[in-house]
Amino acid sequence: MNYMVKPKLDKFREARIAIEIVVDCYNEVECFGGWFCYLEEKLEFPFRARCVTRREVSPLKKGEEVEVIGMLDEGWDNPSEILVRIKWQGRKLSVPLAQLEGIGVNGLAAEAIADWHYWSAQGYCF
């Protein structure tokens, strides 16, 4: 399901992703692991985020703000996207990182989130 506008091809970002994130990944599980490690290293939890797009698998509405408290790293036998743990309306749940943008995050975290948005919007998958 394409839920974001496909961005123009960014050769610099493509090369950086290939060299830093998915290098030596030969299957879906390795690719997921590369992305997971990259994001976990660059993101500083907790951080505030805003929902930028509605997703059928998430209760968040565009514009809602949440606190991101970590990466979802359990129970992934067949990963299809990166999920993060959030606090929302007094509960903890997981939502796709692709639907969130960081609020007031450092440059490395903002770049990592933008990298994942780019990858997802290009239609790449694990």
Side-chain angles (χ1 to χ4, degrees), residues 18-86:
I19 292 168
E20 293 182 26
I21 303 168
V22 296
V23 65
D24 294 331
C25 293
Y26 298 104
N27 61 41
E28 296 83 6
V29 173
E30 289 178 357
C31 188
F32 174 81
W35 271 106
F36 187 91
C37 290
Y38 171 73
L39 291 165
E40 191 171 52
E41 179 183 306
K42 303 292 182 187
L43 302 178
E44 295 181 6
F45 301 102
F47 65 88
R48 298 289 303 160
R50 179 178 303 109
C51 179
V52 294
T53 187
R54 179 86 174 97
R55 293 291 301 277
E56 193 171 310
V57 298
S58 169
L60 299 180
K61 296 176 185 170
K62 190 173 180 178
E64 281 189 284
E65 293 186 10
V66 297
E67 181 181 13
V68 180
I69 56 175
M71 305 279 294
L72 180 66
D73 63 350
E74 56 195 45
W76 280 108
D77 294 330
N78 187 19
S80 60
E81 76 179 301
I82 299 290
L83 299 178
V84 291
R85 302 276 301 149
I86 65 168

Side-chain angles (χ1 to χ4, degrees), residues 4-17 35 98 111-124:
M4 293 191 285
V5 175
K6 186 173 183 177
K8 183 179 175 183
L9 191 66
D10 180 337
K11 290 182 182 182
F12 177 76
R13 180 165 282 177
E14 292 271 341
R16 193 167 46 73
I17 289 171
W35 271 106
E111 180 178 61
I113 294 168
D115 287 344
W116 179 248
H117 284 195
Y118 175 85
W119 174 272
S120 298
Q122 285 295 346
Y124 300 139

